[in-house]
Amino acid sequence: MNQCFRTLALVAAALLAGCSAQPGAPEKPSPPLAGARLGGPLDLVDQDGRRVSERDFAGQYRVIYFGYTYCPDVCPTDLQKVAGALKLLERDAPALAKRVTPIFVTVDPERDSPAQVKQFVRAFHPRIVGLTGTPAEITKVEKDFAIFAQKQPGTSPGSYLMEHSTAVYLFDPAGKPLAVLPNDKGPEEIAADIKRWAA
C-alpha cells in the first residue's frame, strides 16, 4: 500500500514587479507531493538513544524511509539504493549532499532498540539517522506519513515479519513533502530526482 500522492501540476511563472516572464522560458514543474497532507512532528529516539524531533532536521532535505532491521530483503535493498544515491551526490553535488539527511524509521519498535537500529543503519552509510520509539509513537508517525505496517505471524513469537509500505519520501528543509523517490530503480535515478526536486 505505497502511498504515492503524485501530481503533475505546473507552477505558474513568477511575476516580478516591472518584469515579465522571458518568452519561451519553460515553466518549472511543481514537485509531485506539493501540497500533500503528509508528514508531521517527530518525537522519537535516534540510534544513540537521544530524543529527537523535526527541529533537529531543520534546514535539511530529508530522505525518509520506513522499514525494520529484521527485514530479510526489501529494506536492505532499498537502504542500499538510498546510500548509493547519497554517495553519488557526495561525489557530484557535494554542497547539496551536505544538506540531505537520510532517515530510517522503524516499523518494528518491539525489536528495534536504538542499538539494533544503529548496527543496521551503519551498515549502509554513516550519515543515515535511525529512529525508533514506543509502539504508540511509531503508530502516530506511520499515520502522519501515510505508512501501512502490519505484523505477519512467524513460527515463533519473535520470528514475525512486518508487511509495510516501501515509499522513500523526499521532504524540503521546512519539512514539506516534495516527492516519492524511485526506489524501484537504482541509485542514479534516486540521486537525479533529489537533485531535480531539491534545486
Side-chain angles (χ1 to χ4, degrees):
M1 296 179 63
N2 194 328
Q3 304 290 331
C4 300
F5 306 92
R6 296 186 182 278
T7 64
L8 297 176
L10 297 177
V11 175
L15 298 177
L16 301 175
C19 299
S20 59
Q22 189 172 356
E27 295 179 333
K28 180 181 172 65
S30 176
L33 294 183
R37 297 184 64 178
L38 188 69
L42 293 173
D43 184 15
L44 298 171
V45 176
D46 72 8
Q47 70 268 25
D48 294 314
R50 295 179 300 124
R51 204 80 199 173
V52 298
S53 74
E54 69 281 357
R55 293 185 296 276
D56 292 284
F57 308 111
Q60 290 283 301
Y61 288 96
R62 303 147 210 191
V63 176
I64 303 181
Y65 179 77
F66 288 77
Y68 67 113
T69 69
Y70 289 84
C71 182
D73 44 29
V74 176
C75 302
T77 299
D78 285 343
L79 275 186
Q80 189 66 48
K81 292 178 182 179
V82 169
L86 185 57
K87 290 173 184 175
L88 290 174
L89 291 176
E90 289 169 339
R91 183 191 71 189
D92 301 332
L96 174 59
K98 290 179 182 178
R99 299 188 64 204
V100 175
T101 298
I103 301 171
F104 169 82
V105 183
T106 184
V107 296
D108 185 16
E110 294 179 25
R111 293 182 296 188
D112 282 345
S113 66
Q116 178 71 19
V117 169
K118 184 173 186 174
Q119 181 181 17
F120 183 71
V121 297
R122 285 295 177 265
F124 300 98
H125 195 286
R127 289 187 52 213
I128 297 178
V129 176
L131 299 179
T132 187
T134 67
E137 290 167 345
I138 294 299
T139 296
K140 181 184 183 303
V141 174
E142 289 169 352
K143 182 178 179 181
D144 290 344
F145 285 78
I147 293 296
F148 167 82
Q150 186 174 56
K151 185 185 294 187
Q152 300 298 315
T155 56
S156 64
S159 66
Y160 59 86
L161 298 176
M162 295 294 296
E163 182 182 357
H164 64 92
S165 307
T166 59
V168 179
Y169 293 125
L170 176 65
F171 284 78
D172 73 10
K176 303 297 183 184
L178 293 175
V180 176
L181 298 174
N183 56 318
D184 58 328
K185 298 180 181 177
E188 295 81 6
E189 289 81 1
I190 294 174
D193 264 22
I194 293 172
K195 287 191 284 188
R196 179 184 185 190
W197 301 120

